[in-house]
Amino acid sequence: DEAVEALRTAGGEAPQGRAPQGRDRALVLGLLLSLPLGWLARRVRWLYTPIVLGTGLLKPNISAIVGDLYPEGGARRDAGFSIFYMGINIGAVLAPLVCGTLAQSEAFKRVLANNGLDPAKSWHWGFGAAGVGMIFGLLVYIWNREKLASVGNKVKTRSERKTDGTDADDVHPLTKDDWKRIGAIFIFFTFTILFWGAYEQKGASLNLFADRLVDTTLFGWKFPAPYLQSLTPAFVIMLTPIFSILWVRLRERQPSSPVKFTLGMMFIGLAYVLMVPAAMLTAQGRISFWWLVGLYFLEVCGEMCLSPVGLSTVTKLSPAKLVGIMMGVWFLAAATGNKVAGYLSGFFVSDD
């Protein structure tokens, strides 16, 4: 995860990511590089490299394209990024359900055994499903790319174009105001690391917590612990319309970006305050999965205040020629947060 997030910085800095037409090419290249099926990558380690590189090209450039859809900025851009974020999380809901079922479901293992296949290799089918999803994503974008052909483009006047054919914007030095804006982005960068360091426990220590210390039974049906990973994207989908409408209706009265970031940090803190009594109750045996439902709900409330708003803020604060790079820097914060999350997860002990 850290490698994927870190290379998003390079993806935003690459020449393809600096011009609107180049963003389109970088996005398609990123999707193509991400296509090697997960089960092949699991068998051949070096196949992870194109997946990491592809994601590095895909994420910052697609975010920059979304920003270009709202050149007027303001509340509409914040709402637009919230909708974009909801779309991402539709896939995030489906992925644990599909991949988790193929990888761990006893029913699917019986299907494999009945067809003469090794049920011990069910994880290969789970990884392969991710590759199939990437193929569908590529096809959807190719079918609709003409609708985005002019996004972010503007006609250059003669005065804006140098005699050697390069754009004046590309060589104009950054102003003092530009550097102040970049400095503000790096302040947000610091808080983002702390947020994701706590948030990404859901894929590490909280996943182990769910597997070893939580009763995953609902109305007599015992479901795989990875299913709980679908809760956060499900809450994102539920809450995105609410937050989008809220930001638009508040207009000038809506909280500033720093206030939204503060609210995000507050919610993530409350989520882990909730887990203090839950952890204490594990001394008596497995606890109800509803504790994790509450945790993930509070986390997503914080995510709604910080993540899509952060994406929007970076596109607003970045100098026009550095939008791709600064989007990469934003994802580098997520990479660092993932690294922090992994370090903190090393302290998890289920039998203490």
Side-chain angles (χ1 to χ4, degrees):
D1 284 350
E2 300 93 67
V4 169
E5 299 287 355
L7 282 175
R8 291 176 186 173
T9 307
E13 189 174 4
Q16 297 101 309
R18 294 183 182 177
Q21 301 92 337
R23 289 174 190 158
D24 173 78
R25 292 193 294 269
L27 197 153
V28 173
L29 178 61
L31 284 166
L32 288 171
L33 287 172
S34 301
L35 285 182
L37 296 181
W39 67 272
L40 279 176
R42 194 167 182 263
R43 295 167 67 94
V44 185
R45 289 290 182 179
W46 64 264
L47 282 178
Y48 279 119
T49 301
I51 294 175
V52 170
L53 292 173
T55 306
L57 285 170
L58 171 65
K59 294 300 287 287
N61 288 296
I62 196 171
S63 299
I65 289 174
V66 174
D68 287 338
L69 287 170
Y70 303 92
E72 74 283 359
R76 290 190 71 245
R77 179 177 286 187
D78 285 356
F81 268 101
S82 292
I83 295 171
F84 168 66
Y85 208 68
M86 181 176 70
I88 293 173
N89 281 277
I90 290 174
V93 167
L94 297 175
L97 297 178
V98 174
C99 298
T101 297
L102 295 177
Q104 288 191 304
S105 169
E106 293 298 327
F108 183 70
K109 290 180 179 180
R110 286 195 295 271
V111 170
L112 292 178
N114 292 337
N115 287 275
L117 300 173
D118 185 2
K121 295 183 178 180
S122 59
W123 277 96
H124 293 292
W125 293 86
F127 278 95
V132 174
M134 290 300 299
I135 293 173
F136 278 112
L138 175 62
L139 293 176
V140 168
Y141 181 75
I142 290 176
W143 286 335
N144 294 279
R145 67 191 303 190
E146 290 301 320
K147 298 178 182 178
L148 301 172
S150 62
V151 173
N153 293 341
K154 70 172 183 177
V155 178
K156 295 286 185 181
T157 64
R158 186 170 307 219
S159 62
E160 291 177 304
R161 189 169 293 277
K162 291 174 63 68
T163 56
D164 62 0
T166 61
D167 291 337
D169 287 344
D170 290 338
V171 296
H172 194 279
L174 295 176
T175 66
K176 184 177 180 180
D177 186 59
D178 288 335
W179 283 111
K180 287 182 178 180
R181 291 171 178 267
I182 291 173
I185 292 174
F186 276 93
I187 293 174
F188 288 134
F189 179 100
T190 303
F191 288 103
T192 302
I193 292 173
L194 298 175
F195 179 87
W196 291 116
Y199 185 92
E200 290 301 337
Q201 296 301 314
K202 70 184 181 68
S205 62
L206 288 175
N207 208 21
L208 295 174
F209 185 90
D211 185 57
R212 301 174 186 177
L213 300 172
V214 175
D215 179 12
T216 56
T217 303
L218 179 64
F219 301 122
W221 170 59
K222 186 173 180 60
F223 57 89
Y227 277 22
L228 291 171
Q229 296 293 301
S230 292
L231 284 174
T232 47
F235 284 139
V236 169
I237 294 171
M238 292 166 54
L239 294 176
T240 292
I242 298 173
F243 277 86
S244 297
I245 294 171
L246 178 65
W247 300 146
V248 172
R249 288 191 175 181
L250 286 175
R251 297 182 181 276
E252 292 80 9
R253 294 181 291 109
Q254 69 172 292
S256 64
S257 294
V259 172
K260 291 176 182 176
F261 266 71
T262 302
L263 290 172
M265 299 300 292
M266 181 191 73
F267 277 116
I268 198 78
L270 289 174
Y272 283 95
V273 169
L274 178 66
M275 289 304 293
V276 172
M280 295 173 65
L281 288 172
T282 59
Q284 303 173 17
R286 288 180 176 261
I287 63 171
S288 170
F289 67 88
W290 289 105
W291 286 99
L292 288 178
V293 173
L295 166 78
Y296 291 144
F297 178 79
L298 290 171
E299 282 193 338
V300 170
C301 287
E303 185 180 5
M304 287 290 93
C305 292
L306 185 142
S307 191
V309 173
L311 291 170
S312 175
T313 300
V314 170
T315 60
K316 286 185 288 188
L317 292 178
S318 300
K321 62 182 178 181
L322 295 180
V323 172
I325 296 175
M326 298 315 296
M327 288 306 306
V329 169
W330 171 261
F331 289 119
L332 181 61
T336 309
N338 271 273
K339 188 66 176 179
V340 171
Y343 173 76
L344 294 176
S345 295
F347 293 99
F348 174 77
V349 178
S350 61
D351 57 355
D352 187 0

